[in-house]
Every structure is written in structure tokens, then in C-alpha cells.
Amino acid sequence: MSRRKACVIGWPIAHSRSPLIHRYWLKRLAVDGDYTAVAVEPERIAKFFIQFADSGFIGGNVTVPHKEAAFRAVDEADEVAAVLGAVNTLWLQDGRLLGSNTDVHGFLANLDGAVPGWSAEVGAAMVLGAGGAARAVIWSLLQRGFDPVVVVNRTLAKAEQLARNFGPGVRASGWDEVGTMLPLSRVLVNTTSLGMRGQPSLPLDLRRVRDDMIVNDLVYVPLETGLLERARDCGLSAVDGLGMLLHQAVPGFEKWFGQRPEVSDELRSLIVADLARDA
Ligand code: ATR
């Protein structure tokens, strides 16, 4: 069999840590394969997917801003990709291009690992932001039985659109209502860019929340955001966003290269060191 090659497709793509993650696994598992980054401008993306079967790649990841274009391009999307309207993992099967979205797996596996049993007792959940990442988080929380899932967004219309799409389990809310809704929440997830290096911080008062609240920030640059720091100061479970990035990569690797890789401490340290180089 010829050397299997997969890739990550985005624009821009230089920041992507996916090659580092997958090359680590290729080496660790002694798989004869390769994984590269491919920059594709938005104007070229539709044609790129049409020609994917002839590209020499057996599959790949898709990142910003091409996940929706990938969903439109695949011959078949699985259920989760269809719900999210976005594909982040592609593979070829009998000449057909298939797609999935592994962000839901990544989000849930990260929390399952970091706070075992976190969803055994459900209740209300709060999601900050209403972009693509929020969609995956909302769907994950609904799957685990959280009700209601309150979506808070600066642009309220986008949160309302998500509430309409996902149905009665999801409620839209403006930032002005956070103070009343947050004390009821068992889980809080930040999917906005607030708190990211170079962005404004996230102004949230965590003093009047449930003492068993779990706080998950999807931001991972910096790894320890102001939100997580405050959560830890209040004695809450605080989970950073790097684990989701690592776990979402697992199903793709398994599909392309035939072995299920492990999200180890060693891999995490490798990525943390690489992120620190950019600091
Ligand atoms: P992703 O696909 O990663 O979720 P996105 O679609 O760009 O990224 O979504 C970013 C989210 O962060 C949005 O919910 C955005 O709010 P708007 O819909 O109002 O734009 C939110 N966000 C970004 N900057 C923000 C800020 N300064 N204050 C509040 N919310 C912000």
C-alpha cells in the first residue's frame, strides 16, 4: 500500500497545530504516513474539494473558514455534521468524499477526561457565544441531557437563530441577563474569543454561582484564561480548551491511519511548549 497522506485545510493555516498532533501520533504508533497543512483561499475551496479524490490525500481536517464549504462539498455527511452544518473531518471511501464533525466528540471527551462524571447530574447550562464552536457545544450538552441550554451572545439575533434551530431545549439570552441565569447553571462554556491573547477579557462575576459549577473555556491561548483563574479561585472545576483540540483529532487519525491514538500528557506538553514559542 502506498504511503497514506492526510492534511488540514484552512485559510490561513500557519497557526494550525494539527500537523504537530498527527505527526506525533504517526511517529508514536510507527505508522508510515504523513500529515501536512494546505492553505486554500476561499475562492478556490469549492474546486479544491471537487478535485480532492485526485489530490493524493486520503482525507483531512477542515478548519476556519472552510467547514461549511466542506459540508456542502461532501457526497455524504454523517448525522452530527448534518446537525452542525459543518464538516471538520473528511475521508475518501470508494471514490466518494465523506464528512463528519468531531468537535462534539472533542468537547465531550475533554470534559469526560477532565471531570469524570460531570454530566451524571444535569441541569441548566450556559454557553457564551453563538458561532460555529457554540453549535458543537450546544449539541453536545443537549445530547447529555442538559436543559435548558442558555445561549448568551452579543448579537442576540444569532443566539435566537440557534434557539430556533435546536428547538425548545435552547434559550437565547443577552449579556444583561447573565447575572440572573448564571447562578442556576451547572456548566458554563465560553466559546467567544473574549479572554484570548490580544482580545478583551471576559467580565463575569463567579461569586454567586453553584459550588459544583464546571467552567470550560474553549480558548487555549493563553491556556489559563482570566475566566479559568477566577473559577479556580472560587473553588470551581476549571477546564481549559486545549483538550478539545486534541480529542477532536482522534477520530480522523483512526479513520485515515487505522489505529486509535491516545491523548497523552506527553502530547499535551508538546503542544503547550509549541504554543509558548508563539507567546
Ligand atoms: P467560532 O466559529 O470559533 O465560534 P465565530 O463564529 O467568529 O467563531 O464566533 C465568535 C463568537 O464570539 C461570536 O458569538 C461573537 O459574538 P457576535 O455574534 O456578537 O459577533 C463572540 N465575540 C467575539 N468578540 C466579542 C466581544 N468583543 N464581545 C462579545 N462577544 C464577542
PDB file of all heavy atoms in Angstrom, residues 129-134 153-155 158 175 191-194 199-200, ligand 1:
ATOM      1  N   GLY A 129     -21.527  32.855  23.457  1.00  0.00           N
ATOM      2  CA  GLY A 129     -21.158  32.886  22.046  1.00  0.00           C
ATOM      3  C   GLY A 129     -22.141  32.090  21.204  1.00  0.00           C
ATOM      4  O   GLY A 129     -22.834  31.197  21.722  1.00  0.00           O
ATOM      5  N   ALA A 130     -22.214  32.429  19.919  1.00  0.00           N
ATOM      6  CA  ALA A 130     -23.192  31.774  19.050  1.00  0.00           C
ATOM      7  C   ALA A 130     -22.611  31.482  17.669  1.00  0.00           C
ATOM      8  O   ALA A 130     -23.318  31.473  16.665  1.00  0.00           O
ATOM      9  CB  ALA A 130     -24.441  32.659  18.930  1.00  0.00           C
ATOM     10  N   GLY A 131     -21.294  31.223  17.611  1.00  0.00           N
ATOM     11  CA  GLY A 131     -20.641  30.891  16.343  1.00  0.00           C
ATOM     12  C   GLY A 131     -20.603  29.386  16.122  1.00  0.00           C
ATOM     13  O   GLY A 131     -21.387  28.634  16.709  1.00  0.00           O
ATOM     14  N   GLY A 132     -19.667  28.955  15.271  1.00  0.00           N
ATOM     15  CA  GLY A 132     -19.566  27.538  14.936  1.00  0.00           C
ATOM     16  C   GLY A 132     -19.223  26.664  16.128  1.00  0.00           C
ATOM     17  O   GLY A 132     -19.787  25.575  16.301  1.00  0.00           O
ATOM     18  N   ALA A 133     -18.307  27.135  16.971  1.00  0.00           N
ATOM     19  CA  ALA A 133     -17.922  26.337  18.137  1.00  0.00           C
ATOM     20  C   ALA A 133     -19.110  26.186  19.090  1.00  0.00           C
ATOM     21  O   ALA A 133     -19.326  25.112  19.663  1.00  0.00           O
ATOM     22  CB  ALA A 133     -16.746  26.994  18.852  1.00  0.00           C
ATOM     23  N   ALA A 134     -19.896  27.266  19.222  1.00  0.00           N
ATOM     24  CA  ALA A 134     -21.058  27.209  20.110  1.00  0.00           C
ATOM     25  C   ALA A 134     -22.046  26.136  19.646  1.00  0.00           C
ATOM     26  O   ALA A 134     -22.619  25.411  20.463  1.00  0.00           O
ATOM     27  CB  ALA A 134     -21.748  28.574  20.163  1.00  0.00           C
ATOM     28  N   ASN A 153     -25.315  35.800  23.729  1.00  0.00           N
ATOM     29  CA  ASN A 153     -24.475  36.361  22.664  1.00  0.00           C
ATOM     30  C   ASN A 153     -24.653  37.858  22.543  1.00  0.00           C
ATOM     31  O   ASN A 153     -25.725  38.395  22.780  1.00  0.00           O
ATOM     32  CB  ASN A 153     -24.818  35.702  21.321  1.00  0.00           C
ATOM     33  CG  ASN A 153     -23.690  35.860  20.316  1.00  0.00           C
ATOM     34  OD1 ASN A 153     -22.528  35.665  20.669  1.00  0.00           O
ATOM     35  ND2 ASN A 153     -24.008  36.226  19.087  1.00  0.00           N
ATOM     36  N   ARG A 154     -23.521  38.525  22.193  1.00  0.00           N
ATOM     37  CA  ARG A 154     -23.549  39.976  21.969  1.00  0.00           C
ATOM     38  C   ARG A 154     -24.612  40.311  20.913  1.00  0.00           C
ATOM     39  O   ARG A 154     -25.442  41.181  21.118  1.00  0.00           O
ATOM     40  CB  ARG A 154     -22.151  40.411  21.498  1.00  0.00           C
ATOM     41  CG  ARG A 154     -22.038  41.845  21.092  1.00  0.00           C
ATOM     42  CD  ARG A 154     -20.626  42.171  20.689  1.00  0.00           C
ATOM     43  NE  ARG A 154     -20.156  41.361  19.546  1.00  0.00           N
ATOM     44  CZ  ARG A 154     -18.944  41.446  19.025  1.00  0.00           C
ATOM     45  NH1 ARG A 154     -18.048  42.263  19.540  1.00  0.00           N
ATOM     46  NH2 ARG A 154     -18.591  40.693  17.991  1.00  0.00           N
ATOM     47  N   THR A 155     -24.599  39.607  19.807  1.00  0.00           N
ATOM     48  CA  THR A 155     -25.623  39.793  18.773  1.00  0.00           C
ATOM     49  C   THR A 155     -26.745  38.810  19.091  1.00  0.00           C
ATOM     50  O   THR A 155     -26.671  37.628  18.747  1.00  0.00           O
ATOM     51  CB  THR A 155     -25.019  39.510  17.371  1.00  0.00           C
ATOM     52  OG1 THR A 155     -23.793  40.229  17.249  1.00  0.00           O
ATOM     53  CG2 THR A 155     -25.977  39.915  16.268  1.00  0.00           C
ATOM     54  N   LYS A 158     -28.321  36.175  16.641  1.00  0.00           N
ATOM     55  CA  LYS A 158     -27.629  34.912  16.320  1.00  0.00           C
ATOM     56  C   LYS A 158     -27.953  33.833  17.357  1.00  0.00           C
ATOM     57  O   LYS A 158     -28.107  32.653  17.023  1.00  0.00           O
ATOM     58  CB  LYS A 158     -26.120  35.142  16.233  1.00  0.00           C
ATOM     59  CG  LYS A 158     -25.712  35.666  14.864  1.00  0.00           C
ATOM     60  CD  LYS A 158     -24.304  36.190  14.828  1.00  0.00           C
ATOM     61  CE  LYS A 158     -23.233  35.133  14.925  1.00  0.00           C
ATOM     62  NZ  LYS A 158     -21.878  35.750  14.871  1.00  0.00           N
ATOM     63  N   TRP A 175     -26.361  39.553  27.162  1.00  0.00           N
ATOM     64  CA  TRP A 175     -25.401  39.600  28.266  1.00  0.00           C
ATOM     65  C   TRP A 175     -26.022  40.189  29.520  1.00  0.00           C
ATOM     66  O   TRP A 175     -25.590  39.893  30.629  1.00  0.00           O
ATOM     67  CB  TRP A 175     -24.162  40.407  27.854  1.00  0.00           C
ATOM     68  CG  TRP A 175     -23.207  39.591  27.048  1.00  0.00           C
ATOM     69  CD1 TRP A 175     -23.183  39.478  25.691  1.00  0.00           C
ATOM     70  CD2 TRP A 175     -22.170  38.739  27.537  1.00  0.00           C
ATOM     71  NE1 TRP A 175     -22.195  38.615  25.304  1.00  0.00           N
ATOM     72  CE2 TRP A 175     -21.542  38.153  26.410  1.00  0.00           C
ATOM     73  CE3 TRP A 175     -21.697  38.417  28.804  1.00  0.00           C
ATOM     74  CZ2 TRP A 175     -20.483  37.266  26.521  1.00  0.00           C
ATOM     75  CZ3 TRP A 175     -20.627  37.526  28.916  1.00  0.00           C
ATOM     76  CH2 TRP A 175     -20.036  36.964  27.796  1.00  0.00           C
ATOM     77  N   THR A 191     -17.334  30.109  24.415  1.00  0.00           N
ATOM     78  CA  THR A 191     -16.924  29.814  23.028  1.00  0.00           C
ATOM     79  C   THR A 191     -16.577  31.106  22.284  1.00  0.00           C
ATOM     80  O   THR A 191     -16.316  31.062  21.097  1.00  0.00           O
ATOM     81  CB  THR A 191     -18.040  29.072  22.245  1.00  0.00           C
ATOM     82  OG1 THR A 191     -19.059  30.013  21.871  1.00  0.00           O
ATOM     83  CG2 THR A 191     -18.653  27.949  23.051  1.00  0.00           C
ATOM     84  N   THR A 192     -16.632  32.247  22.978  1.00  0.00           N
ATOM     85  CA  THR A 192     -16.286  33.508  22.316  1.00  0.00           C
ATOM     86  C   THR A 192     -14.768  33.673  22.319  1.00  0.00           C
ATOM     87  O   THR A 192     -14.046  32.901  22.949  1.00  0.00           O
ATOM     88  CB  THR A 192     -16.894  34.732  23.041  1.00  0.00           C
ATOM     89  OG1 THR A 192     -16.173  34.960  24.260  1.00  0.00           O
ATOM     90  CG2 THR A 192     -18.363  34.543  23.344  1.00  0.00           C
ATOM     91  N   SER A 193     -14.314  34.711  21.640  1.00  0.00           N
ATOM     92  CA  SER A 193     -12.869  34.976  21.636  1.00  0.00           C
ATOM     93  C   SER A 193     -12.463  35.861  22.806  1.00  0.00           C
ATOM     94  O   SER A 193     -11.285  36.222  22.926  1.00  0.00           O
ATOM     95  CB  SER A 193     -12.474  35.618  20.308  1.00  0.00           C
ATOM     96  OG  SER A 193     -13.383  36.642  19.983  1.00  0.00           O
ATOM     97  N   LEU A 194     -13.393  36.192  23.673  1.00  0.00           N
ATOM     98  CA  LEU A 194     -13.064  37.021  24.838  1.00  0.00           C
ATOM     99  C   LEU A 194     -12.127  36.240  25.766  1.00  0.00           C
ATOM    100  O   LEU A 194     -12.377  35.073  26.065  1.00  0.00           O
ATOM    101  CB  LEU A 194     -14.341  37.413  25.593  1.00  0.00           C
ATOM    102  CG  LEU A 194     -15.264  38.365  24.831  1.00  0.00           C
ATOM    103  CD1 LEU A 194     -16.577  38.557  25.588  1.00  0.00           C
ATOM    104  CD2 LEU A 194     -14.594  39.707  24.598  1.00  0.00           C
ATOM    105  N   GLN A 199      -7.278  39.978  22.986  1.00  0.00           N
ATOM    106  CA  GLN A 199      -8.708  40.303  22.972  1.00  0.00           C
ATOM    107  C   GLN A 199      -9.118  40.833  24.350  1.00  0.00           C
ATOM    108  O   GLN A 199      -8.438  40.578  25.340  1.00  0.00           O
ATOM    109  CB  GLN A 199      -9.542  39.047  22.668  1.00  0.00           C
ATOM    110  CG  GLN A 199      -9.256  38.425  21.320  1.00  0.00           C
ATOM    111  CD  GLN A 199      -9.702  39.298  20.170  1.00  0.00           C
ATOM    112  OE1 GLN A 199     -10.764  39.895  20.208  1.00  0.00           O
ATOM    113  NE2 GLN A 199      -8.849  39.423  19.168  1.00  0.00           N
ATOM    114  N   PRO A 200     -10.277  41.529  24.413  1.00  0.00           N
ATOM    115  CA  PRO A 200     -10.740  41.983  25.731  1.00  0.00           C
ATOM    116  C   PRO A 200     -10.995  40.792  26.643  1.00  0.00           C
ATOM    117  O   PRO A 200     -11.207  39.667  26.176  1.00  0.00           O
ATOM    118  CB  PRO A 200     -12.064  42.704  25.418  1.00  0.00           C
ATOM    119  CG  PRO A 200     -12.077  42.933  23.952  1.00  0.00           C
ATOM    120  CD  PRO A 200     -11.181  41.910  23.323  1.00  0.00           C
TER     121      PRO A 200
HETATM  122  P1  ATR B   1     -16.234  30.251  16.252  1.00  0.00           P
HETATM  123  O1  ATR B   1     -16.527  29.610  14.936  1.00  0.00           O
HETATM  124  O2  ATR B   1     -14.888  29.912  16.806  1.00  0.00           O
HETATM  125  O3  ATR B   1     -17.309  30.002  17.243  1.00  0.00           O
HETATM  126  P2  ATR B   1     -17.172  32.878  15.471  1.00  0.00           P
HETATM  127  O4  ATR B   1     -18.192  32.267  14.602  1.00  0.00           O
HETATM  128  O5  ATR B   1     -16.354  34.009  14.909  1.00  0.00           O
HETATM  129  O6  ATR B   1     -16.100  31.823  15.981  1.00  0.00           O
HETATM  130  O7  ATR B   1     -17.878  33.344  16.838  1.00  0.00           O
HETATM  131  C1  ATR B   1     -17.246  34.174  17.749  1.00  0.00           C
HETATM  132  C2  ATR B   1     -18.204  34.453  18.917  1.00  0.00           C
HETATM  133  O8  ATR B   1     -17.527  35.326  19.819  1.00  0.00           O
HETATM  134  C3  ATR B   1     -19.482  35.162  18.493  1.00  0.00           C
HETATM  135  O9  ATR B   1     -20.536  34.674  19.294  1.00  0.00           O
HETATM  136  C4  ATR B   1     -19.172  36.623  18.812  1.00  0.00           C
HETATM  137  O10 ATR B   1     -20.319  37.409  19.084  1.00  0.00           O
HETATM  138  P3  ATR B   1     -21.161  38.110  17.881  1.00  0.00           P
HETATM  139  O11 ATR B   1     -22.014  37.031  17.296  1.00  0.00           O
HETATM  140  O12 ATR B   1     -21.946  39.160  18.544  1.00  0.00           O
HETATM  141  O13 ATR B   1     -20.117  38.632  16.913  1.00  0.00           O
HETATM  142  C5  ATR B   1     -18.348  36.474  20.056  1.00  0.00           C
HETATM  143  N1  ATR B   1     -17.496  37.651  20.293  1.00  0.00           N
HETATM  144  C6  ATR B   1     -16.368  37.985  19.629  1.00  0.00           C
HETATM  145  N2  ATR B   1     -15.862  39.125  20.122  1.00  0.00           N
HETATM  146  C7  ATR B   1     -16.698  39.541  21.112  1.00  0.00           C
HETATM  147  C8  ATR B   1     -16.726  40.687  22.018  1.00  0.00           C
HETATM  148  N3  ATR B   1     -15.767  41.618  21.965  1.00  0.00           N
HETATM  149  N4  ATR B   1     -17.740  40.752  22.899  1.00  0.00           N
HETATM  150  C9  ATR B   1     -18.697  39.792  22.961  1.00  0.00           C
HETATM  151  N5  ATR B   1     -18.720  38.715  22.138  1.00  0.00           N
HETATM  152  C10 ATR B   1     -17.745  38.599  21.221  1.00  0.00           C
END
